[in-house]
Amino acid sequence: MNKTAAQLWTLLKGENLVQGETPEIAHADSPWYVKLLLGIAGWWAAAFGLSFLMLVFTLFMKDAMAVLILGSLLIGGAFLILRQSGQTFLEHLALAISLAGQVLVILVIFNAFNAFSAARFENEVYWLLAGLFQVILALAIPNFVHRVFCTWNAAIFFAVALVLFDVPYMFSSVVMLLMAWLWLSEYAYPKHIQKIRAMAYGLTLALVSIESFVLFVSKGAASSWGTNVDAESIMRPWMGEVLLGCVAFYVVWFLLRQNKQSMKQPLVICSLFATLLLVVASFEATGLTVGMMIVLLGFAGSNRVLIGIGVVSLLFYVSAYYYLLERTLLDKSLTLLAVGILLLGVRWMMLRFVPKGEVNAR
Amino acid sequence: MADTRFLIAEFIKQGLISEDKVSDALSVTKLTPDGKAWLSFLDRFLLVVGAVALVSALTFFIAYNWAEMAKWAKFALVEFFIILSILAYWDLGVRQLSAKIALLVASLLLGVLLALYGQTYQTGADPWQLFFNWALLILPWVLLAQFAVLWIVFLFLLNLSLFIYVGTFGGLFGFSFSTELNLLWLLFALNGLALLVWEYMSLSRGWLQVTWATRLLAFVSGASITVLVVGCIDSPVNNSIFSMLIWLNYLVVLYIYYLKKKPDLFMLAGGCLSASIVILTFVSQYIEAGSSLVFALFIIALGGVSSMWLKKLQQEMQS
């Protein structure tokens, strides 16, 4: 048994939260670099193996049913490997096989397995079906990385479907609400902790992707495409930001209540005011609300990976703000100056009016 | 914290912590921050985000006015911030992290000053000289700061100047087998030597015991020698045997030091990756193009063996 488990058990036992001897933990979590090494090997092996399979099955690739059966067999095979094996290497091999199977099934959904046509990808119903397919896989296949990947895909597919339904910009707030709920309920369902974490990571990555897309469409390099989207819809980017802001306020309020903070305390007022500042700034510099929420949820769960994703996304959105053409650099400079001064002002007020001894400990 | 999150989740999943005690367990193990931790977090978050907003505002403002600024104004601005950073280094207490970061900022701004000088006066210097002189000029600060990050910046500048020099002149002191080979050998030598010296010096200097830095140096030197060996297998040249011998020695030293003396699974995983790449390159010379299934089987075999060995080592290291 490893030392960390023993130390943790002793700590919990000292607080009368557990009883008995230190349990054996069957599968120690491998460090990220070992997973990466084995992931690279698994994916390479799958790529070479699949190229062999594609050569062998070329004759069958023109028939939808054959492609669907092949895709399903590949996914089924991956499911069996993942259910049985605890080996990281086989896990990644199975992931790559599943990916190939998913690509085949999605090609059948879009009816694009024997001839590529852009028009087929403009049908919102196909995107919805593809999204539902990914949701089923995310729930069914017992593997962390697979669930992250499928959840990420599902969210992206649903977002595209909504854009094609002329409801753009709204989905990021739905994704953020779901993401926040999952992270805040991480331990609420003991048998499903890993499933919840995987789906939460998938939604986090999807949220960053969708918000980046909104950034480029509404204000960046793809703004001409965005103009076409706006012409066919009554939705506007600021509406999406308003909904994101509402979700942000809800999360901050929830965390404050979880920490038993009275709504009249200076800390609460400072927190809500800082949230308001960043939400307002996000109308100009798209993505700040999303980055802030990810960092906040990461800290709430002592999740350094999540904090890292939040910090990187915040840096990305601030950098992207530099390149956006909607405003001059002078206007952006003044906006950031105002935000910086106000945030530091809020910090000063918080440190001035919140004596550390009066902050409620859990 | 990653281990604690994993372990607590396992304890909860196995029903070892009852549902009504989960919240307390998360508090006791500090997975859920208490009020003081939240206050500290908000303090740092508002400080960092506010500071980044102000620095960004300044950067945007300078960028807006850059074309219209006079030469002397541009130099004055950069030199002002260098001096401000050095004053901050003194004021914040030279051993404090914030002071070392201030010196790091000064070191980076010195590079900006050199670039501005080269751009304004068109001295005709080669690009590699900019980075080499930058590294030389910041060396006193690097020695003074006792800050691992600054040492890595210094080594990065040396690597970059070497890269550009070899790209321009093909080799050092007139020797030139081929530009790519020379560059790889020089990068391997520089970073391998840096790793050796770093590990030796870290035995008596706590501030050098920074795993990410040694891993980075090992990655660069390991990648260089691996690419050299792969290139030599692919297109054999006169010094193929020499490359192989050096590579084998490198792996042996890596194994002995990072398994027996200073266990580090990252280094050993890197060694596995290097060995796998070289073996696969060797195998690819003898199987037909298009035998993707055979190649896949080799990758599976090598991946499986690496996986089992690394997992066994991890269990031994943790027990």
Side-chain angles (χ1 to χ4, degrees):
Chain A
M1 94 197 46
N2 61 55
K3 288 176 189 159
T4 315
Q7 288 167 340
L8 203 60
W9 190 259
T10 306
L11 174 66
L12 292 170
K13 209 168 170 180
E15 300 287 331
N16 292 321
L17 296 170
V18 294
Q19 288 169 348
E21 296 301 312
T22 311
E24 290 285 341
I25 301 296
H27 303 289
D29 203 25
S30 302
W32 66 267
Y33 44 84
V34 174
K35 287 179 182 168
L36 181 67
L37 166 68
L38 300 174
I40 292 170
W43 283 84
W44 267 111
F48 280 102
L50 286 166
S51 69
F52 169 76
L53 276 176
M54 294 306 159
L55 280 169
V56 168
F57 287 105
T58 302
L59 292 171
F60 298 99
M61 291 298 282
K62 296 195 189 306
D63 180 68
M65 188 51 69
V67 173
L68 187 63
I69 290 171
L70 177 62
S72 305
L73 282 173
L74 288 173
I75 294 171
F79 172 75
L80 288 172
I81 296 173
L82 290 170
R83 212 170 62 156
Q84 302 293 335
S85 171
Q87 279 208 16
T88 308
F89 174 76
L90 287 176
E91 178 187 309
H92 285 276
L93 185 64
L95 284 172
I97 292 170
S98 172
L99 173 66
Q102 287 176 49
V103 167
L104 292 177
V105 171
I106 286 173
L107 283 175
V108 171
I109 290 174
F110 283 96
N111 202 22
F113 53 90
N114 59 359
F116 182 80
S117 163
R120 290 177 181 150
F121 291 91
E122 289 173 11
N123 187 321
E124 55 272 7
V125 174
Y126 292 158
W127 286 99
L128 273 181
L129 286 172
L132 279 169
F133 169 61
Q134 291 292 300
V135 169
I136 292 167
L137 289 182
L139 291 170
I141 304 232
N143 178 267
F144 188 90
V145 174
H146 196 279
R147 286 200 166 110
V148 172
F149 184 71
C150 288
T151 309
W152 187 356
N153 282 343
I156 299 291
F157 291 158
F158 286 137
V160 173
L162 282 175
V163 169
L164 293 170
F165 273 122
D166 297 330
V167 187
Y169 310 123
M170 301 293 115
F171 196 59
S172 23
S173 52
V174 174
V175 173
M176 194 158 95
L177 186 63
L178 275 171
M179 176 197 77
W181 177 73
L182 284 173
W183 282 123
L184 295 171
S185 316
E186 203 177 345
Y187 301 100
Y189 307 96
K191 290 195 182 352
H192 302 287
I193 294 176
Q194 287 296 85
K195 200 186 281 187
I196 289 172
R197 279 182 179 169
M199 295 177 83
Y201 273 120
L203 287 174
T204 305
L205 294 170
L207 180 61
V208 172
S209 310
I210 293 168
E211 196 65 3
S212 305
F213 181 72
V214 167
L215 177 72
F216 285 113
V217 161
S218 61
K219 293 172 187 168
S223 54
S224 57
W225 190 79
T227 308
N228 292 338
V229 168
D230 290 353
E232 295 180 16
S233 167
I234 58 167
M235 304 297 175
R236 292 291 176 268
W238 65 264
M239 296 176 185
E241 289 295 337
V242 167
L243 288 176
L244 283 172
C246 292
V247 175
F249 271 104
Y250 170 72
V251 171
V252 170
W253 171 82
F254 182 91
L255 287 170
L256 289 166
R257 288 295 295 261
Q258 200 180 51
N259 277 274
K260 298 184 178 58
Q261 298 296 316
S262 158
M263 288 296 135
K264 291 178 190 166
Q265 285 184 351
L267 175 63
V268 170
I269 297 168
C270 289
S271 303
L272 291 173
F273 188 58
T275 306
L276 176 67
L277 273 177
L278 283 167
V279 167
V280 167
S282 198
F283 279 81
E284 268 285 309
T286 304
L288 287 186
T289 307
V290 163
M292 172 184 70
M293 276 297 105
I294 295 173
V295 171
L296 207 63
L297 289 165
F299 184 75
S302 299
N303 187 334
R304 284 188 190 152
V305 172
L306 197 59
I307 294 174
I309 295 173
V311 167
V312 167
S313 65
L314 270 174
L315 288 172
F316 169 72
Y317 293 130
V318 170
S319 307
Y321 187 48
Y322 179 86
Y323 290 102
L324 297 179
L325 304 172
E326 241 189 16
R327 299 258 187 275
T328 65
L329 282 170
L330 184 64
D331 291 337
K332 292 177 201 173
S333 167
L334 293 171
T335 304
L336 287 169
L337 181 68
V339 168
I341 290 172
L342 285 168
L343 283 176
L344 290 173
V346 167
R347 176 180 174 263
W348 177 82
M349 276 197 308
M350 188 180 72
L351 294 176
R352 174 100 166 73
F353 294 112
V354 181
K356 287 195 170 121
E358 286 185 17
V359 174
N360 291 334
R362 283 175 61 83
Chain B
M1 210 38 103
D3 270 340
T4 308
R5 280 174 53 81
F6 171 76
L7 288 167
I8 286 289
E10 283 294 307
F11 291 162
I12 294 171
K13 190 173 140 192
Q14 291 179 30
L16 297 167
I17 303 176
S18 58
E19 275 189 45
D20 57 319
K21 292 184 178 167
V22 166
S23 176
D24 291 332
L26 294 173
S27 265
V28 157
T29 53
K30 298 194 191 314
L31 282 181
T32 311
D34 60 16
K36 283 185 184 170
W38 270 112
L39 188 64
S40 174
F41 166 75
L42 286 170
D43 172 19
R44 275 183 285 162
F45 183 75
L46 291 171
L47 176 65
V48 168
V49 176
V52 167
L54 287 180
V55 168
S56 302
L58 184 65
T59 310
F60 287 24
F61 182 78
I62 292 170
Y64 180 75
N65 291 295
W66 192 254
E68 281 80 38
M69 282 169 75
K71 263 188 261 186
W72 66 267
K74 291 177 188 178
F75 277 101
L77 193 66
V78 178
E79 285 163 4
F80 170 73
F81 282 111
I82 291 176
I83 294 168
L84 193 68
S85 302
I86 294 178
L87 288 174
Y89 169 72
W90 277 111
D91 189 57
L92 291 166
V94 299
R95 288 285 162 255
Q96 298 301 313
L97 178 61
S98 46
K100 294 178 185 190
I101 290 175
L103 202 55
L104 173 66
V105 170
S107 303
L108 296 173
L109 287 172
L110 191 61
V112 173
L113 184 64
L114 288 172
L116 181 59
Y117 184 84
Q119 184 193 55
T120 308
Y121 294 107
Q122 299 290 321
T123 55
D126 290 320
W128 70 271
Q129 288 177 320
L130 165 69
F131 297 101
F132 187 70
N133 291 335
W134 185 359
L136 279 185
L137 286 170
I138 66 169
L139 186 56
W141 290 346
V142 173
L143 291 166
L144 204 61
Q146 294 186 4
F147 190 29
V149 175
L150 207 43
W151 273 105
I152 292 296
V153 168
F154 172 74
L155 286 167
F156 173 75
L157 292 172
L158 285 183
N159 273 277
L160 193 54
S161 49
L162 197 64
F163 186 86
I164 298 171
Y165 182 91
V166 173
T168 308
F169 297 106
L172 271 186
F173 310 122
F175 290 115
S176 179
F177 292 111
S178 86
T179 305
E180 292 81 15
L181 280 180
N182 286 336
L183 179 63
L184 288 167
W185 276 118
L186 288 167
L187 286 175
F188 169 67
L190 174 65
N191 293 285
L193 185 64
L195 176 63
L196 201 68
V197 172
W198 192 298
E199 288 288 9
Y200 178 72
M201 301 293 264
S202 68
L203 294 171
S204 52
R205 289 163 178 79
W207 59 272
L208 276 174
Q209 289 164 9
V210 177
T211 45
W212 65 265
T214 48
R215 287 173 179 180
L216 183 62
L217 292 172
F219 175 75
V220 177
S221 55
S224 308
I225 191 67
T226 305
V227 172
L228 265 167
V229 172
V230 163
C232 289
I233 293 173
D234 224 17
S235 347
V237 293
N238 289 340
N239 56 354
S240 294
I241 303 293
F242 181 66
S243 312
M244 275 290 206
L245 286 172
I246 296 287
W247 173 72
L248 282 168
N249 270 305
Y250 183 80
L251 284 187
V252 166
V253 169
L254 199 83
Y255 174 81
I256 292 172
Y257 190 74
Y258 291 111
L259 183 62
K260 307 289 181 194
K261 290 284 241 180
K262 186 183 163 192
D264 188 339
L265 204 62
F266 179 91
M267 302 297 199
L268 298 170
C272 283
L273 180 62
S274 174
S276 299
I277 291 171
V278 168
I279 292 170
L280 285 168
T281 309
F282 190 72
V283 162
S284 71
Q285 302 298 306
Y286 295 100
I287 61 171
E288 288 171 9
S291 302
S292 34
L293 183 63
V294 175
F295 212 64
L297 290 171
F298 263 99
I299 297 175
I300 290 168
L302 286 168
V305 167
S306 301
S307 165
M308 287 188 314
W309 186 60
L310 289 168
K311 211 153 197 158
K312 181 167 161 279
L313 285 178
Q314 186 190 10
Q315 281 165 359
E316 282 170 15
M317 284 178 191
Q318 285 180 344
S319 61

